PDB file of all heavy atoms in Angstrom:
ATOM      1  N   ILE A 258       0.846  -1.199  -0.036  1.00 96.00           N
ATOM      2  CA  ILE A 258       0.019   0.003   0.000  1.00 96.00           C
ATOM      3  C   ILE A 258       0.873   1.262  -0.003  1.00 96.00           C
ATOM      4  O   ILE A 258       1.739   1.424   0.829  1.00 96.00           O
ATOM      5  CB  ILE A 258      -0.933   0.029   1.250  1.00 96.00           C
ATOM      6  CG1 ILE A 258      -1.738  -1.294   1.298  1.00 96.00           C
ATOM      7  CG2 ILE A 258      -1.849   1.233   1.201  1.00 96.00           C
ATOM      8  CD1 ILE A 258      -2.385  -1.436   2.694  1.00 96.00           C
ATOM      9  N   LYS A 259       0.664   2.104  -1.005  1.00 96.00           N
ATOM     10  CA  LYS A 259       1.376   3.386  -1.076  1.00 96.00           C
ATOM     11  C   LYS A 259       0.346   4.551  -0.844  1.00 96.00           C
ATOM     12  O   LYS A 259      -0.570   4.684  -1.670  1.00 96.00           O
ATOM     13  CB  LYS A 259       2.107   3.532  -2.400  1.00 96.00           C
ATOM     14  CG  LYS A 259       3.127   2.432  -2.716  1.00 96.00           C
ATOM     15  CD  LYS A 259       4.352   2.595  -1.773  1.00 96.00           C
ATOM     16  CE  LYS A 259       5.462   1.576  -2.178  1.00 96.00           C
ATOM     17  NZ  LYS A 259       6.632   1.680  -1.298  1.00 96.00           N
ATOM     18  N   GLU A 260       0.560   5.289   0.197  1.00 94.00           N
ATOM     19  CA  GLU A 260      -0.389   6.355   0.490  1.00 94.00           C
ATOM     20  C   GLU A 260       0.096   7.732  -0.054  1.00 94.00           C
ATOM     21  O   GLU A 260       1.271   8.068   0.169  1.00 94.00           O
ATOM     22  CB  GLU A 260      -0.611   6.485   2.003  1.00 94.00           C
ATOM     23  CG  GLU A 260      -1.178   5.150   2.629  1.00 94.00           C
ATOM     24  CD  GLU A 260      -1.457   5.434   4.129  1.00 94.00           C
ATOM     25  OE1 GLU A 260      -2.206   6.314   4.490  1.00 94.00           O
ATOM     26  OE2 GLU A 260      -0.959   4.522   4.862  1.00 94.00           O
ATOM     27  N   MET A 261      -0.778   8.370  -0.809  1.00 92.00           N
ATOM     28  CA  MET A 261      -0.434   9.713  -1.406  1.00 92.00           C
ATOM     29  C   MET A 261      -1.070  10.796  -0.583  1.00 92.00           C
ATOM     30  O   MET A 261      -2.284  10.913  -0.566  1.00 92.00           O
ATOM     31  CB  MET A 261      -0.920   9.765  -2.818  1.00 92.00           C
ATOM     32  CG  MET A 261      -0.384   8.546  -3.685  1.00 92.00           C
ATOM     33  SD  MET A 261       1.411   8.559  -3.899  1.00 92.00           S
ATOM     34  CE  MET A 261       1.568   9.833  -5.130  1.00 92.00           C
ATOM     35  N   ALA A 262      -0.262  11.669   0.021  1.00 86.00           N
ATOM     36  CA  ALA A 262      -0.737  12.667   0.963  1.00 86.00           C
ATOM     37  C   ALA A 262      -1.654  13.724   0.292  1.00 86.00           C
ATOM     38  O   ALA A 262      -2.622  14.207   0.822  1.00 86.00           O
ATOM     39  CB  ALA A 262       0.352  13.323   1.658  1.00 86.00           C
ATOM     40  N   GLU A 263      -1.271  14.185  -0.905  1.00 85.00           N
ATOM     41  CA  GLU A 263      -1.930  15.349  -1.515  1.00 85.00           C
ATOM     42  C   GLU A 263      -2.732  15.024  -2.791  1.00 85.00           C
ATOM     43  O   GLU A 263      -2.966  15.794  -3.631  1.00 85.00           O
ATOM     44  CB  GLU A 263      -0.871  16.435  -1.884  1.00 85.00           C
ATOM     45  CG  GLU A 263      -0.066  16.866  -0.697  1.00 85.00           C
ATOM     46  CD  GLU A 263      -0.930  17.566   0.385  1.00 85.00           C
ATOM     47  OE1 GLU A 263      -1.923  18.205  -0.032  1.00 85.00           O
ATOM     48  OE2 GLU A 263      -0.533  17.491   1.542  1.00 85.00           O
ATOM     49  N   TYR A 264      -3.183  13.754  -2.882  1.00 89.00           N
ATOM     50  CA  TYR A 264      -3.926  13.280  -4.095  1.00 89.00           C
ATOM     51  C   TYR A 264      -5.264  12.779  -3.740  1.00 89.00           C
ATOM     52  O   TYR A 264      -5.514  12.136  -2.696  1.00 89.00           O
ATOM     53  CB  TYR A 264      -3.125  12.150  -4.746  1.00 89.00           C
ATOM     54  CG  TYR A 264      -1.905  12.633  -5.431  1.00 89.00           C
ATOM     55  CD1 TYR A 264      -0.720  12.986  -4.734  1.00 89.00           C
ATOM     56  CD2 TYR A 264      -1.822  12.768  -6.857  1.00 89.00           C
ATOM     57  CE1 TYR A 264       0.371  13.465  -5.336  1.00 89.00           C
ATOM     58  CE2 TYR A 264      -0.676  13.224  -7.460  1.00 89.00           C
ATOM     59  CZ  TYR A 264       0.438  13.560  -6.784  1.00 89.00           C
ATOM     60  OH  TYR A 264       1.561  14.034  -7.386  1.00 89.00           O
ATOM     61  N   GLY A 265      -6.215  13.105  -4.646  1.00 90.00           N
ATOM     62  CA  GLY A 265      -7.581  12.609  -4.562  1.00 90.00           C
ATOM     63  C   GLY A 265      -7.882  11.660  -5.693  1.00 90.00           C
ATOM     64  O   GLY A 265      -6.965  11.233  -6.446  1.00 90.00           O
ATOM     65  N   THR A 266      -9.117  11.385  -5.891  1.00 92.00           N
ATOM     66  CA  THR A 266      -9.520  10.401  -6.945  1.00 92.00           C
ATOM     67  C   THR A 266      -9.087  10.771  -8.310  1.00 92.00           C
ATOM     68  O   THR A 266      -8.501  10.005  -9.091  1.00 92.00           O
ATOM     69  CB  THR A 266     -11.075  10.219  -6.909  1.00 92.00           C
ATOM     70  OG1 THR A 266     -11.464   9.715  -5.615  1.00 92.00           O
ATOM     71  CG2 THR A 266     -11.491   9.206  -7.984  1.00 92.00           C
ATOM     72  N   GLU A 267      -9.372  11.998  -8.736  1.00 92.00           N
ATOM     73  CA  GLU A 267      -9.005  12.504 -10.094  1.00 92.00           C
ATOM     74  C   GLU A 267      -7.493  12.396 -10.314  1.00 92.00           C
ATOM     75  O   GLU A 267      -7.055  11.941 -11.364  1.00 92.00           O
ATOM     76  CB  GLU A 267      -9.485  13.897 -10.314  1.00 92.00           C
ATOM     77  CG  GLU A 267      -9.250  14.411 -11.761  1.00 92.00           C
ATOM     78  CD  GLU A 267      -9.745  15.809 -11.964  1.00 92.00           C
ATOM     79  OE1 GLU A 267      -9.942  16.540 -11.021  1.00 92.00           O
ATOM     80  OE2 GLU A 267      -9.896  16.166 -13.167  1.00 92.00           O
ATOM     81  N   GLN A 268      -6.733  12.781  -9.315  1.00 94.00           N
ATOM     82  CA  GLN A 268      -5.268  12.812  -9.498  1.00 94.00           C
ATOM     83  C   GLN A 268      -4.690  11.396  -9.608  1.00 94.00           C
ATOM     84  O   GLN A 268      -3.840  11.099 -10.440  1.00 94.00           O
ATOM     85  CB  GLN A 268      -4.605  13.540  -8.318  1.00 94.00           C
ATOM     86  CG  GLN A 268      -4.846  15.034  -8.283  1.00 94.00           C
ATOM     87  CD  GLN A 268      -6.275  15.396  -7.768  1.00 94.00           C
ATOM     88  OE1 GLN A 268      -6.876  14.585  -7.100  1.00 94.00           O
ATOM     89  NE2 GLN A 268      -6.739  16.587  -8.227  1.00 94.00           N
ATOM     90  N   LEU A 269      -5.215  10.486  -8.760  1.00 95.00           N
ATOM     91  CA  LEU A 269      -4.827   9.062  -8.811  1.00 95.00           C
ATOM     92  C   LEU A 269      -5.221   8.423 -10.176  1.00 95.00           C
ATOM     93  O   LEU A 269      -4.417   7.691 -10.771  1.00 95.00           O
ATOM     94  CB  LEU A 269      -5.374   8.284  -7.634  1.00 95.00           C
ATOM     95  CG  LEU A 269      -4.777   8.568  -6.319  1.00 95.00           C
ATOM     96  CD1 LEU A 269      -5.662   7.905  -5.191  1.00 95.00           C
ATOM     97  CD2 LEU A 269      -3.352   8.109  -6.233  1.00 95.00           C
ATOM     98  N   MET A 270      -6.381   8.736 -10.658  1.00 95.00           N
ATOM     99  CA  MET A 270      -6.823   8.228 -11.955  1.00 95.00           C
ATOM    100  C   MET A 270      -5.939   8.745 -13.047  1.00 95.00           C
ATOM    101  O   MET A 270      -5.549   7.964 -14.027  1.00 95.00           O
ATOM    102  CB  MET A 270      -8.268   8.584 -12.204  1.00 95.00           C
ATOM    103  CG  MET A 270      -9.253   7.856 -11.290  1.00 95.00           C
ATOM    104  SD  MET A 270     -10.972   8.328 -11.552  1.00 95.00           S
ATOM    105  CE  MET A 270     -11.402   7.450 -13.092  1.00 95.00           C
ATOM    106  N   ALA A 271      -5.541  10.017 -12.999  1.00 95.00           N
ATOM    107  CA  ALA A 271      -4.612  10.577 -14.002  1.00 95.00           C
ATOM    108  C   ALA A 271      -3.274   9.857 -13.998  1.00 95.00           C
ATOM    109  O   ALA A 271      -2.676   9.656 -15.071  1.00 95.00           O
ATOM    110  CB  ALA A 271      -4.535  12.065 -13.798  1.00 95.00           C
ATOM    111  N   MET A 272      -2.822   9.560 -12.794  1.00 95.00           N
ATOM    112  CA  MET A 272      -1.484   8.900 -12.677  1.00 95.00           C
ATOM    113  C   MET A 272      -1.552   7.478 -13.315  1.00 95.00           C
ATOM    114  O   MET A 272      -0.595   7.063 -13.978  1.00 95.00           O
ATOM    115  CB  MET A 272      -1.063   8.820 -11.286  1.00 95.00           C
ATOM    116  CG  MET A 272      -0.683  10.210 -10.672  1.00 95.00           C
ATOM    117  SD  MET A 272      -0.183  10.056  -8.946  1.00 95.00           S
ATOM    118  CE  MET A 272       1.408   9.193  -9.093  1.00 95.00           C
ATOM    119  N   VAL A 273      -2.659   6.738 -13.073  1.00 96.00           N
ATOM    120  CA  VAL A 273      -2.799   5.393 -13.642  1.00 96.00           C
ATOM    121  C   VAL A 273      -2.931   5.535 -15.146  1.00 96.00           C
ATOM    122  O   VAL A 273      -2.254   4.823 -15.930  1.00 96.00           O
ATOM    123  CB  VAL A 273      -4.040   4.674 -13.118  1.00 96.00           C
ATOM    124  CG1 VAL A 273      -4.197   3.335 -13.773  1.00 96.00           C
ATOM    125  CG2 VAL A 273      -3.888   4.448 -11.566  1.00 96.00           C
ATOM    126  N   SER A 274      -3.752   6.439 -15.603  1.00 95.00           N
ATOM    127  CA  SER A 274      -3.953   6.694 -17.082  1.00 95.00           C
ATOM    128  C   SER A 274      -2.660   6.962 -17.776  1.00 95.00           C
ATOM    129  O   SER A 274      -2.386   6.461 -18.879  1.00 95.00           O
ATOM    130  CB  SER A 274      -4.953   7.822 -17.275  1.00 95.00           C
ATOM    131  OG  SER A 274      -5.163   8.022 -18.716  1.00 95.00           O
ATOM    132  N   GLY A 275      -1.775   7.807 -17.129  1.00 94.00           N
ATOM    133  CA  GLY A 275      -0.542   8.263 -17.740  1.00 94.00           C
ATOM    134  C   GLY A 275       0.548   7.214 -17.601  1.00 94.00           C
ATOM    135  O   GLY A 275       1.704   7.423 -18.115  1.00 94.00           O
ATOM    136  N   GLY A 276       0.343   6.103 -16.871  1.00 93.00           N
ATOM    137  CA  GLY A 276       1.320   5.103 -16.696  1.00 93.00           C
ATOM    138  C   GLY A 276       2.350   5.366 -15.644  1.00 93.00           C
ATOM    139  O   GLY A 276       3.325   4.649 -15.465  1.00 93.00           O
ATOM    140  N   ASP A 277       2.110   6.376 -14.798  1.00 95.00           N
ATOM    141  CA  ASP A 277       3.057   6.680 -13.663  1.00 95.00           C
ATOM    142  C   ASP A 277       2.921   5.640 -12.597  1.00 95.00           C
ATOM    143  O   ASP A 277       3.920   5.340 -11.908  1.00 95.00           O
ATOM    144  CB  ASP A 277       2.718   8.055 -13.058  1.00 95.00           C
ATOM    145  CG  ASP A 277       2.792   9.190 -14.105  1.00 95.00           C
ATOM    146  OD1 ASP A 277       3.944   9.365 -14.632  1.00 95.00           O
ATOM    147  OD2 ASP A 277       1.818   9.931 -14.392  1.00 95.00           O
ATOM    148  N   ILE A 278       1.696   5.086 -12.412  1.00 95.00           N
ATOM    149  CA  ILE A 278       1.457   3.994 -11.477  1.00 95.00           C
ATOM    150  C   ILE A 278       0.517   3.016 -12.201  1.00 95.00           C
ATOM    151  O   ILE A 278      -0.100   3.331 -13.226  1.00 95.00           O
ATOM    152  CB  ILE A 278       0.816   4.416 -10.155  1.00 95.00           C
ATOM    153  CG1 ILE A 278      -0.508   5.148 -10.399  1.00 95.00           C
ATOM    154  CG2 ILE A 278       1.812   5.421  -9.420  1.00 95.00           C
ATOM    155  CD1 ILE A 278      -1.249   5.557  -9.144  1.00 95.00           C
ATOM    156  N   ASP A 279       0.471   1.813 -11.695  1.00 95.00           N
ATOM    157  CA  ASP A 279      -0.400   0.788 -12.385  1.00 95.00           C
ATOM    158  C   ASP A 279      -1.782   0.614 -11.781  1.00 95.00           C
ATOM    159  O   ASP A 279      -2.664   0.326 -12.446  1.00 95.00           O
ATOM    160  CB  ASP A 279       0.337  -0.557 -12.382  1.00 95.00           C
ATOM    161  CG  ASP A 279       1.581  -0.548 -13.254  1.00 95.00           C
ATOM    162  OD1 ASP A 279       1.519   0.014 -14.349  1.00 95.00           O
ATOM    163  OD2 ASP A 279       2.569  -1.121 -12.886  1.00 95.00           O
ATOM    164  N   TYR A 280      -1.839   0.762 -10.438  1.00 96.00           N
ATOM    165  CA  TYR A 280      -3.131   0.514  -9.762  1.00 96.00           C
ATOM    166  C   TYR A 280      -3.380   1.599  -8.661  1.00 96.00           C
ATOM    167  O   TYR A 280      -2.483   2.030  -7.989  1.00 96.00           O
ATOM    168  CB  TYR A 280      -3.100  -0.884  -9.112  1.00 96.00           C
ATOM    169  CG  TYR A 280      -2.692  -1.973  -9.995  1.00 96.00           C
ATOM    170  CD1 TYR A 280      -1.392  -2.535  -9.900  1.00 96.00           C
ATOM    171  CD2 TYR A 280      -3.554  -2.530 -10.937  1.00 96.00           C
ATOM    172  CE1 TYR A 280      -1.012  -3.590 -10.705  1.00 96.00           C
ATOM    173  CE2 TYR A 280      -3.166  -3.554 -11.781  1.00 96.00           C
ATOM    174  CZ  TYR A 280      -1.895  -4.169 -11.602  1.00 96.00           C
ATOM    175  OH  TYR A 280      -1.524  -5.154 -12.473  1.00 96.00           O
ATOM    176  N   ALA A 281      -4.686   1.889  -8.476  1.00 97.00           N
ATOM    177  CA  ALA A 281      -5.095   2.787  -7.392  1.00 97.00           C
ATOM    178  C   ALA A 281      -6.505   2.246  -6.932  1.00 97.00           C
ATOM    179  O   ALA A 281      -7.201   1.594  -7.705  1.00 97.00           O
ATOM    180  CB  ALA A 281      -5.108   4.186  -7.794  1.00 97.00           C
ATOM    181  N   VAL A 282      -6.804   2.503  -5.675  1.00 96.00           N
ATOM    182  CA  VAL A 282      -8.144   2.221  -5.161  1.00 96.00           C
ATOM    183  C   VAL A 282      -8.810   3.517  -4.728  1.00 96.00           C
ATOM    184  O   VAL A 282      -8.199   4.328  -3.998  1.00 96.00           O
ATOM    185  CB  VAL A 282      -8.077   1.250  -3.940  1.00 96.00           C
ATOM    186  CG1 VAL A 282      -9.431   1.140  -3.290  1.00 96.00           C
ATOM    187  CG2 VAL A 282      -7.603  -0.174  -4.442  1.00 96.00           C
ATOM    188  N   CYS A 283      -9.998   3.794  -5.262  1.00 94.00           N
ATOM    189  CA  CYS A 283     -10.688   5.041  -5.000  1.00 94.00           C
ATOM    190  C   CYS A 283     -12.170   4.730  -4.767  1.00 94.00           C
ATOM    191  O   CYS A 283     -12.669   3.602  -4.942  1.00 94.00           O
ATOM    192  CB  CYS A 283     -10.579   5.913  -6.196  1.00 94.00           C
ATOM    193  SG  CYS A 283      -8.885   6.414  -6.676  1.00 94.00           S
ATOM    194  N   GLU A 284     -12.891   5.800  -4.295  1.00 92.00           N
ATOM    195  CA  GLU A 284     -14.325   5.686  -4.079  1.00 92.00           C
ATOM    196  C   GLU A 284     -15.034   5.606  -5.448  1.00 92.00           C
ATOM    197  O   GLU A 284     -14.756   6.437  -6.363  1.00 92.00           O
ATOM    198  CB  GLU A 284     -14.776   6.888  -3.305  1.00 92.00           C
ATOM    199  CG  GLU A 284     -16.166   6.800  -2.699  1.00 92.00           C
ATOM    200  CD  GLU A 284     -17.231   7.069  -3.697  1.00 92.00           C
ATOM    201  OE1 GLU A 284     -17.116   8.044  -4.470  1.00 92.00           O
ATOM    202  OE2 GLU A 284     -18.207   6.302  -3.762  1.00 92.00           O
ATOM    203  N   GLY A 285     -15.943   4.673  -5.549  1.00 92.00           N
ATOM    204  CA  GLY A 285     -16.523   4.284  -6.874  1.00 92.00           C
ATOM    205  C   GLY A 285     -17.381   5.358  -7.469  1.00 92.00           C
ATOM    206  O   GLY A 285     -17.340   5.580  -8.707  1.00 92.00           O
ATOM    207  N   ASN A 286     -18.223   6.008  -6.677  1.00 90.00           N
ATOM    208  CA  ASN A 286     -19.149   7.004  -7.239  1.00 90.00           C
ATOM    209  C   ASN A 286     -18.348   8.149  -7.955  1.00 90.00           C
ATOM    210  O   ASN A 286     -18.689   8.621  -9.029  1.00 90.00           O
ATOM    211  CB  ASN A 286     -20.054   7.626  -6.163  1.00 90.00           C
ATOM    212  CG  ASN A 286     -21.133   6.572  -5.746  1.00 90.00           C
ATOM    213  OD1 ASN A 286     -21.592   5.826  -6.546  1.00 90.00           O
ATOM    214  ND2 ASN A 286     -21.506   6.640  -4.506  1.00 90.00           N
ATOM    215  N   THR A 287     -17.314   8.606  -7.262  1.00 92.00           N
ATOM    216  CA  THR A 287     -16.495   9.690  -7.798  1.00 92.00           C
ATOM    217  C   THR A 287     -15.715   9.223  -9.037  1.00 92.00           C
ATOM    218  O   THR A 287     -15.651   9.929 -10.041  1.00 92.00           O
ATOM    219  CB  THR A 287     -15.544  10.232  -6.694  1.00 92.00           C
ATOM    220  OG1 THR A 287     -16.330  10.570  -5.579  1.00 92.00           O
ATOM    221  CG2 THR A 287     -14.812  11.492  -7.240  1.00 92.00           C
ATOM    222  N   ALA A 288     -15.163   8.022  -8.952  1.00 94.00           N
ATOM    223  CA  ALA A 288     -14.357   7.513 -10.051  1.00 94.00           C
ATOM    224  C   ALA A 288     -15.253   7.338 -11.310  1.00 94.00           C
ATOM    225  O   ALA A 288     -14.784   7.641 -12.426  1.00 94.00           O
ATOM    226  CB  ALA A 288     -13.788   6.104  -9.645  1.00 94.00           C
ATOM    227  N   HIS A 289     -16.515   6.947 -11.135  1.00 92.00           N
ATOM    228  CA  HIS A 289     -17.416   6.746 -12.260  1.00 92.00           C
ATOM    229  C   HIS A 289     -17.598   8.104 -13.023  1.00 92.00           C
ATOM    230  O   HIS A 289     -17.701   8.087 -14.203  1.00 92.00           O
ATOM    231  CB  HIS A 289     -18.753   6.191 -11.732  1.00 92.00           C
ATOM    232  CG  HIS A 289     -19.480   5.419 -12.770  1.00 92.00           C
ATOM    233  ND1 HIS A 289     -20.053   4.211 -12.554  1.00 92.00           N
ATOM    234  CD2 HIS A 289     -19.736   5.739 -14.077  1.00 92.00           C
ATOM    235  CE1 HIS A 289     -20.670   3.764 -13.637  1.00 92.00           C
ATOM    236  NE2 HIS A 289     -20.474   4.675 -14.589  1.00 92.00           N
ATOM    237  N   ILE A 290     -17.727   9.143 -12.257  1.00 90.00           N
ATOM    238  CA  ILE A 290     -17.990  10.448 -12.857  1.00 90.00           C
ATOM    239  C   ILE A 290     -16.778  10.923 -13.606  1.00 90.00           C
ATOM    240  O   ILE A 290     -16.889  11.549 -14.720  1.00 90.00           O
ATOM    241  CB  ILE A 290     -18.403  11.491 -11.823  1.00 90.00           C
ATOM    242  CG1 ILE A 290     -19.845  11.152 -11.320  1.00 90.00           C
ATOM    243  CG2 ILE A 290     -18.289  12.886 -12.335  1.00 90.00           C
ATOM    244  CD1 ILE A 290     -20.321  12.019 -10.171  1.00 90.00           C
ATOM    245  N   TYR A 291     -15.560  10.638 -13.175  1.00 92.00           N
ATOM    246  CA  TYR A 291     -14.364  11.078 -13.832  1.00 92.00           C
ATOM    247  C   TYR A 291     -13.967  10.111 -14.989  1.00 92.00           C
ATOM    248  O   TYR A 291     -13.137  10.461 -15.808  1.00 92.00           O
ATOM    249  CB  TYR A 291     -13.167  11.115 -12.844  1.00 92.00           C
ATOM    250  CG  TYR A 291     -13.165  12.362 -12.025  1.00 92.00           C
ATOM    251  CD1 TYR A 291     -13.142  12.257 -10.588  1.00 92.00           C
ATOM    252  CD2 TYR A 291     -13.193  13.651 -12.578  1.00 92.00           C
ATOM    253  CE1 TYR A 291     -13.138  13.377  -9.805  1.00 92.00           C
ATOM    254  CE2 TYR A 291     -13.165  14.778 -11.790  1.00 92.00           C
ATOM    255  CZ  TYR A 291     -13.133  14.664 -10.374  1.00 92.00           C
ATOM    256  OH  TYR A 291     -13.101  15.753  -9.595  1.00 92.00           O
ATOM    257  N   LEU A 292     -14.587   8.958 -15.115  1.00 92.00           N
ATOM    258  CA  LEU A 292     -14.123   7.965 -16.042  1.00 92.00           C
ATOM    259  C   LEU A 292     -14.166   8.479 -17.504  1.00 92.00           C
ATOM    260  O   LEU A 292     -13.259   8.067 -18.310  1.00 92.00           O
ATOM    261  CB  LEU A 292     -15.037   6.707 -15.907  1.00 92.00           C
ATOM    262  CG  LEU A 292     -14.552   5.462 -16.685  1.00 92.00           C
ATOM    263  CD1 LEU A 292     -13.146   5.011 -16.238  1.00 92.00           C
ATOM    264  CD2 LEU A 292     -15.531   4.321 -16.521  1.00 92.00           C
ATOM    265  N   HIS A 293     -15.102   9.339 -17.851  1.00 89.00           N
ATOM    266  CA  HIS A 293     -15.171   9.816 -19.231  1.00 89.00           C
ATOM    267  C   HIS A 293     -13.935  10.660 -19.639  1.00 89.00           C
ATOM    268  O   HIS A 293     -13.705  10.831 -20.857  1.00 89.00           O
ATOM    269  CB  HIS A 293     -16.463  10.640 -19.425  1.00 89.00           C
ATOM    270  CG  HIS A 293     -16.441  11.971 -18.784  1.00 89.00           C
ATOM    271  ND1 HIS A 293     -16.734  12.186 -17.465  1.00 89.00           N
ATOM    272  CD2 HIS A 293     -16.096  13.189 -19.266  1.00 89.00           C
ATOM    273  CE1 HIS A 293     -16.641  13.447 -17.172  1.00 89.00           C
ATOM    274  NE2 HIS A 293     -16.231  14.108 -18.282  1.00 89.00           N
ATOM    275  N   ASN A 294     -13.197  11.083 -18.601  1.00 91.00           N
ATOM    276  CA  ASN A 294     -11.919  11.854 -18.937  1.00 91.00           C
ATOM    277  C   ASN A 294     -10.803  10.955 -19.296  1.00 91.00           C
ATOM    278  O   ASN A 294      -9.717  11.428 -19.750  1.00 91.00           O
ATOM    279  CB  ASN A 294     -11.580  12.782 -17.789  1.00 91.00           C
ATOM    280  CG  ASN A 294     -12.620  13.862 -17.476  1.00 91.00           C
ATOM    281  OD1 ASN A 294     -13.297  14.295 -18.362  1.00 91.00           O
ATOM    282  ND2 ASN A 294     -12.717  14.261 -16.241  1.00 91.00           N
ATOM    283  N   PHE A 295     -10.932   9.681 -19.026  1.00 94.00           N
ATOM    284  CA  PHE A 295      -9.815   8.729 -19.162  1.00 94.00           C
ATOM    285  C   PHE A 295     -10.308   7.537 -19.922  1.00 94.00           C
ATOM    286  O   PHE A 295     -10.735   6.541 -19.353  1.00 94.00           O
ATOM    287  CB  PHE A 295      -9.253   8.305 -17.807  1.00 94.00           C
ATOM    288  CG  PHE A 295      -8.852   9.488 -16.902  1.00 94.00           C
ATOM    289  CD1 PHE A 295      -9.707   9.856 -15.880  1.00 94.00           C
ATOM    290  CD2 PHE A 295      -7.685  10.193 -17.099  1.00 94.00           C
ATOM    291  CE1 PHE A 295      -9.394  10.924 -15.023  1.00 94.00           C
ATOM    292  CE2 PHE A 295      -7.368  11.280 -16.321  1.00 94.00           C
ATOM    293  CZ  PHE A 295      -8.174  11.639 -15.266  1.00 94.00           C
TER     294      PHE A 295
END
């Protein structure tokens, strides 16, 4: 488990999308809304 102090759902999704990290766990309702951006 790697904890990111200054990151929320959108930032973690952007990091996975860009290949900076491979996996993240986030709250589903929020992730669903951001999904169309990635």
Side-chain angles (χ1 to χ4, degrees):
I258 306 166
K259 300 291 184 180
E260 299 183 54
M261 306 294 283
E263 302 298 329
Y264 287 75
T266 299
E267 184 180 18
Q268 292 75 26
L269 288 170
M270 291 178 75
M272 290 179 71
V273 176
S274 178
D277 300 299
I278 60 177
D279 291 321
Y280 309 103
V282 170
C283 301
E284 194 281 315
N286 287 327
T287 308
H289 204 135
I290 288 176
Y291 281 124
L292 189 60
H293 72 277
N294 294 331
F295 306 103

